Amino acid sequence: MRILIAEDDLASARYMEGLMSRYGECLVTSDGEQALAAFEAALDEGRPFQLVCLDIMMPHKNGQEALQGIRALEQQRGIKSSQEAKIVMTTALGDVRSVMGAYKEGATAYVTKPIVPERMFETLRNLGISI
């Protein structure tokens, strides 16, 4: 599986990469703009990401904007909803407005920070992703 991680904090990015590398090949970007470009490049190469972990609070494009862009790209490319990337929003924001906004824009799951491995692994299992 190919995994895209968008996280602007270096320590958090390394942590997420270490956590997710057991599930597959990881690419880490430091903002939403880079994440969107990487997602589009992967589609162009015919090697799409199956899982995307997006931090909500990032520079240039935040996680919500990157999420909207990813879903728009998938729609433009005619990707069926059953084939869309699973998108997990990761953030310190646990308020109802942020959570509901993420789901409304097409997030598959939402995990609040600090990321606890067991909680992340349970979320992935619930999405049908296992090691």
Side-chain angles (χ1 to χ4, degrees):
M1 171 169 44
R2 294 193 74 214
I3 303 163
L4 176 61
I5 300 166
E7 173 63 64
D8 64 324
D9 177 72
L10 183 58
S12 294
R14 286 187 178 156
Y15 176 76
M16 284 295 292
E17 184 176 20
L19 200 60
M20 302 309 295
S21 64
R22 67 180 62 192
Y23 289 94
E25 173 191 347
C26 296
L27 175 68
V28 178
T29 62
S30 61
D31 64 51
E33 201 169 271
Q34 290 176 5
L36 191 53
F39 191 86
E40 186 170 22
L43 289 176
D44 291 344
E45 294 166 6
R47 296 185 63 230
F49 291 101
Q50 290 81 33
L51 177 63
V52 180
C53 298
L54 289 176
D55 181 20
I56 287 186
M57 298 183 344
M58 293 184 291
H60 306 294
K61 281 190 188 297
N62 65 35
Q64 294 280 25
E65 293 165 330
L67 169 62
Q68 291 168 354
I70 288 169
R71 292 303 188 214
L73 279 171
E74 289 175 326
Q75 189 174 32
Q76 290 166 7
R77 305 279 178 113
I79 296 171
K80 298 175 188 165
S81 60
S82 61
Q83 298 299 311
E84 289 178 340
K86 304 270 194 264
I87 300 180
V88 178
M89 304 304 284
T90 61
T91 184
L93 302 174
D95 64 278
V96 174
R97 186 168 167 245
S98 296
V99 173
M100 294 312 292
Y103 283 119
K104 182 181 175 196
E105 296 299 333
T108 316
Y110 193 101
V111 179
T112 54
K113 293 179 181 180
I115 303 293
V116 176
E118 294 77 24
R119 188 175 27 175
M120 180 59 110
F121 298 152
E122 179 182 348
T123 298
L124 296 177
R125 279 191 302 276
N126 291 340
L127 296 176
I129 299 169
S130 59
I131 329 181

